[in-house]
Amino acid sequence: MNTSLTSAARLFTAGLRALLVLTVVTGIVYPLVVTGIAQGLFPGKANGSEIEADGKVVGSSLIGQSYNLPLKKGQETPEPDLKWFQGRPANGLGTNTVNTQYELILSGATNRSADNPELLQWVKDAKAAVVKDNSVPGHPVRPEDVPADAVTSSGSGLDPDISPEYAGLQARRVAERNGLPVARIRTLVDEHTTLRTLGFIGEPRVNVLELNIALKDLVAPAAGH
């Protein structure tokens, strides 16, 4: 009896020691080492890829934002503020009961098939809105010129980027709304276009938040004159 109790006590003590050691190693030492390495080698990414403007954090380069006008009385859906470049469709072309784009409850797509009537109608409505919003006097936008990312959301619904084609399509409207030359806005888009990673991974893209921050900086001096 005493022998079995002694063995049990020995096993319990060994197990407790192992628990304490593993808790310290995996719960304290390892996280501190990994955090230290991350902060030392790539602090920006480790801290959420934050983007600053005017000395304060205004967002993350990994998460898209919407650029809308304040809601009017009785209005439920905000209108886009057309002086800014717009990201992929509001509500991710897939508002559902638990997920709306840029509200970080969870990320996800619409889960509707390509021939789903509701999805097809969303795409038609989104295309009509893009054509209407971006047509300026003398330069109408044709429906066939609207790129796919202008009327569909990404798989996560949080895509911070748009294609250079969609950014270019918005250039005339942004230039007109801000009283700037179209050529200068197109140059701004070119300056903020990221090419394929390593030359073959992904697609060329434009980060909307970074582009709008640069646009704000461009508009400020012009507004002062």
Side-chain angles (χ1 to χ4, degrees), residues 29-75:
V29 176
Y30 177 75
L32 287 176
V33 170
V34 171
T35 300
I37 293 173
Q39 291 291 339
L41 296 180
F42 28 83
K45 292 182 178 179
N47 291 324
S49 300
E50 295 173 337
I51 295 179
E52 293 188 1
D54 300 326
K56 61 181 181 181
V57 175
V58 294
S60 168
S61 64
L62 303 177
I63 300 175
Q65 296 186 22
S66 54
Y67 300 87
N68 296 325
L69 294 169
L71 283 172
K72 299 175 183 177
K73 186 176 181 180
Q75 189 179 39

Side-chain angles (χ1 to χ4, degrees), residues 57-150:
V57 175
V58 294
S60 168
S61 64
L62 303 177
I63 300 175
Q65 296 186 22
S66 54
Y67 300 87
N68 296 325
L69 294 169
L71 283 172
K72 299 175 183 177
K73 186 176 181 180
Q75 189 179 39
E76 294 184 2
T77 303
E79 298 175 0
D81 189 344
L82 297 178
K83 71 180 180 181
W84 303 109
F85 284 93
Q86 297 294 314
R88 300 185 73 164
N91 299 326
L93 263 193
T95 302
N96 54 55
T97 55
V98 294
N99 178 36
T100 56
Q101 188 184 26
Y102 309 150
E103 295 181 10
L104 302 182
I105 300 173
L106 63 90
S107 66
T110 66
N111 290 327
R112 287 170 171 80
S113 63
D115 60 353
N116 180 278
E118 190 176 17
L119 178 62
L120 293 175
Q121 188 59 52
W122 284 340
V123 170
K124 285 182 181 179
D125 292 345
K127 180 174 284 191
V130 170
V131 169
K132 176 179 177 291
D133 290 343
N134 291 284
S135 292
V136 299
H139 296 279
V141 173
R142 299 177 301 175
E144 57 267 30
D145 293 333
V146 177
D149 62 304

Side-chain angles (χ1 to χ4, degrees), residues 142-216:
R142 299 177 301 175
E144 57 267 30
D145 293 333
V146 177
D149 62 304
V151 297
T152 57
S153 65
S154 65
S156 69
L158 304 174
D159 196 344
D161 303 321
I162 57 176
S163 66
E165 291 76 18
Y166 186 28
L169 183 144
Q170 300 182 65
R172 287 189 180 278
R173 183 253 300 160
V174 170
E176 182 185 75
R177 296 277 177 150
N178 290 284
L180 295 169
V182 175
R184 184 65 189 92
I185 297 299
R186 293 196 185 281
T187 299
L188 195 69
V189 171
D190 292 340
E191 291 171 348
H192 288 82
T193 297
T194 302
L195 301 178
R196 290 181 175 89
T197 305
L198 301 179
F200 67 94
I201 300 175
E203 295 293 332
R205 57 201 179 275
V206 180
N207 187 282
V208 181
L209 176 56
E210 293 176 352
L211 181 60
N212 278 333
I213 290 173
L215 173 63
K216 180 183 176 183

